[in-house]
Amino acid sequence: MPLPQLPSSKLPNVKTTIFTTVGNLARKHKAVDLSQGFPDFEADPELIGLVSKAMMEGHNQYAPMQGLLPLREIIASKIKKLHNRFYNPKTEITVIAGATQGIYTAISTFVNEGDEVIVIKPAYDCYEPAIAVNGGIAIQVQLNAQDYTVNWEEFKFKVGPKTRMVIINTPHNPIGRIFAKSDMLQLQEILRDTNVILLSDEVYEHIVFDGEEHQSVSRFNDLASRSIICSSFGKTFHVTGWKIGYCVAPKELMHAFQKVHQFNVFCVPRPVQHALATYLETGSHYLDLGAFYQAKRDFFLDAIKDSRLKFTPSQGSYFQLVDYSALSEQSDEEFAKHLIIDHKLACIPISSFNTHSRDDKMLRFCFAKKEETLEKAAEILNLL
Ligand SMILES: Cc1ncc(COP(=O)(O)O)c(C=O)c1O
């Protein structure tokens, strides 16, 4: 039978992602893998036990579309405690199938054909395809090459009558920087008299270092009133494979979000929600995460301090950027490939996340790894 003629792709420019390409090459060459953004250690057995218990006790059928109420309630009280804003668990919180789904649903809900969406580059790779599938146009604002800060003047210039949404990410993947309060205040001023919706990707909200605080958009009145915030329990509790997180937004925005959510996901696994509702009762389970990852960052950076790589310590997330320009003039993709094939170490080159693939000779290493993995990686880097 002849195949039906396929309509043209909605994502003609999307190729295999750099994560898949690097991951496949790393497996082929049995490389130490600091490329993929997930832990190589297990989650807390207590949390796993709570999920098993919920399953054994029969919590195995559909959950309510918004998520289990006890889970939404504890999310509300966590945000109130940390950022002093109350999101009503009945109307302003949805449990989602991971941040990727929350981000996709938020974009589908609010972005129409021809709408512009401002994306700060380098950007996590799920934003722009979601914008394109929904007929939107991504307007890129590239971070400075020297210190990866936002040029807010340039940003302001790009906000116009067609801007429907702005997407921010703090702590930032792949850069490992956080937005300061002054960044948030500038953003608030720029958006003040607009109808722009802010989508704030805060999946690394609990991974902030050196005594700094996570500046959630929920801390800023005017920003909070126009924002959907996405978070990920996968990142917070070392269970990226569970694909579960939450979105919060003011009632009207959340109502619109849920209209779409109920038809593309409806609800997410019930036993996991049960377990998380109990696990979140102990604040240290998430409040200690910054110290936990700071120790890993410091271990890794101390181990490579005598190498020829240059770096500024990551401020948040579990990623560290390093500058290899003293070692090679190869492009970052070539150099990353060479590291895998010739030195058996995998990391992510940054250029594919930048506007026009700007190559700053930067590589991203994930330090959500056991000390022995970090040690092996450091040994290789020190010999380069
Ligand atoms: C910045 C950022 N946003 C979103 C996600 C996706 O999170 P989830 O696994 O919960 O879908 C990731 C995962 O790497 C991320 O780094």
Side-chain angles (χ1 to χ4, degrees):
M1 273 228 308
L3 289 172
Q5 185 160 10
L6 291 177
S8 60
S9 168
K10 287 191 175 183
L11 295 173
N13 301 323
V14 168
K15 300 177 276 193
T16 312
T17 73
I18 189 75
F19 300 108
T20 310
T21 310
V22 169
N24 288 343
L25 202 63
R27 271 186 296 280
K28 184 170 165 208
H29 292 274
K30 300 196 174 35
V32 178
D33 194 352
L34 266 58
S35 69
Q36 309 296 316
F38 53 79
D40 69 348
F41 46 85
E42 273 312 317
D44 185 353
E46 182 188 337
L47 176 59
I48 293 173
L50 285 168
V51 178
S52 309
K53 184 164 168 274
M55 285 179 175
M56 295 308 286
E57 286 175 352
H59 298 290
N60 296 309
Q61 307 309 327
Y62 291 128
M65 181 270 285
Q66 309 92 318
L68 292 184
L69 187 57
L71 179 55
R72 285 183 276 141
E73 283 170 343
I74 196 126
I75 292 168
S77 82
K78 172 170 91 77
I79 299 172
K80 175 75 184 145
K81 260 188 258 154
L82 291 175
H83 306 303
N84 199 23
R85 180 165 308 278
F86 178 68
Y87 286 93
N88 186 333
K90 297 216 168 83
T91 51
E92 300 185 316
I93 298 179
T94 305
V95 180
I96 51 174
T100 311
Q101 181 251 312
I103 290 164
Y104 188 86
T105 301
I107 292 171
S108 302
T109 304
F110 298 109
V111 175
N112 292 311
E113 193 73 35
D115 285 345
E116 292 184 355
V117 181
I118 298 186
V119 175
I120 295 173
K121 301 288 281 185
Y124 184 61
D125 63 350
C126 77
Y127 309 150
E128 285 166 278
I131 296 164
V133 165
N134 286 286
I137 300 157
I139 304 293
Q140 303 179 340
V141 175
Q142 172 68 50
L143 294 177
N144 292 323
Q146 299 74 23
D147 55 2
Y148 289 105
T149 51
V150 182
N151 178 338
W152 289 111
E153 277 308 307
E154 181 196 342
F155 182 97
K156 187 174 170 184
F157 181 73
K158 297 215 168 154
V159 177
K162 288 189 173 169
T163 311
R164 184 78 185 115
M165 182 181 267
V166 167
I167 304 180
I168 61 167
N169 171 216
T170 181
H172 191 278
N173 174 14
I175 296 304
R177 282 189 58 90
I178 55 175
F179 273 172
K181 186 172 177 189
S182 56
D183 289 307
M184 303 307 277
L185 290 173
Q186 293 199 65
L187 178 62
Q188 180 159 266
E189 274 322 297
I190 294 169
L191 298 184
R192 192 174 290 285
D193 294 318
T194 70
N195 287 320
V196 171
I197 287 173
L198 180 60
L199 174 56
S200 186
D201 179 345
E202 302 186 13
V203 298
Y204 300 102
E205 60 176 331
H206 298 298
I207 314 181
V208 175
F209 310 134
D210 304 318
E212 294 297 331
E213 286 188 12
H214 169 53
Q215 300 294 333
S216 171
V217 298
S218 61
R219 291 187 172 195
F220 303 85
N221 280 339
D222 192 72
L223 288 181
S225 70
R226 60 174 78 245
S227 292
I228 301 157
I229 301 171
C230 284
S231 190
S232 170
F233 291 122
K235 304 292 183 188
T236 301
F237 296 132
H238 319 307
V239 286
T240 57
W242 289 6
K243 295 301 281 185
I244 183 164
Y246 62 86
C247 279
V248 300
K251 188 172 165 194
E252 292 71 23
L253 295 183
M254 187 45 78
H255 180 65
F257 176 95
Q258 287 178 345
K259 279 194 193 174
V260 177
H261 175 82
Q262 69 181 329
F263 293 116
N264 71 354
V265 174
F266 188 70
C267 67
V268 307
R270 184 171 197 132
V272 179
Q273 295 193 50
H274 255 279
L276 287 169
T278 307
Y279 196 70
L280 279 162
E281 279 170 10
T282 308
S284 58
H285 286 151
Y286 52 88
L287 295 175
D288 292 350
L289 198 66
F292 172 81
Y293 275 120
Q294 185 172 324
K296 288 199 176 289
R297 177 202 68 177
D298 291 347
F299 180 87
F300 181 56
L301 292 186
D302 190 54
I304 61 167
K305 67 177 186 308
D306 297 325
S307 72
R308 291 196 290 150
L309 300 163
K310 284 181 270 173
F311 51 79
T312 307
S314 167
Q315 300 175 321
S317 81
Y318 45 52
F319 301 109
Q320 176 65 50
L321 279 198
V322 306
D323 170 343
Y324 68 90
S325 58
L327 290 175
S328 167
E329 286 187 357
Q330 276 179 306
S331 74
D332 63 352
E333 293 200 0
E334 279 163 358
F335 190 70
K337 213 166 145 190
H338 155 72
L339 272 185
I340 298 176
I341 297 171
D342 301 321
H343 298 278
K344 313 283 177 246
L345 176 62
C347 61
I348 296 289
I350 293 302
S351 61
S352 58
F353 303 98
N354 280 335
T355 303
H356 307 309
S357 302
R358 189 184 75 192
D359 184 358
D360 302 331
K361 307 267 182 279
M362 288 286 190
L363 304 171
R364 187 200 80 173
F365 288 88
C366 172
F367 54 82
K369 307 290 168 188
K370 295 180 205 146
E371 284 195 357
E372 65 200 62
T373 315
L374 297 173
E375 231 160 22
K376 276 188 210 152
E379 269 168 33
I380 297 169
L381 293 171
N382 286 331
L383 289 175
L384 293 178

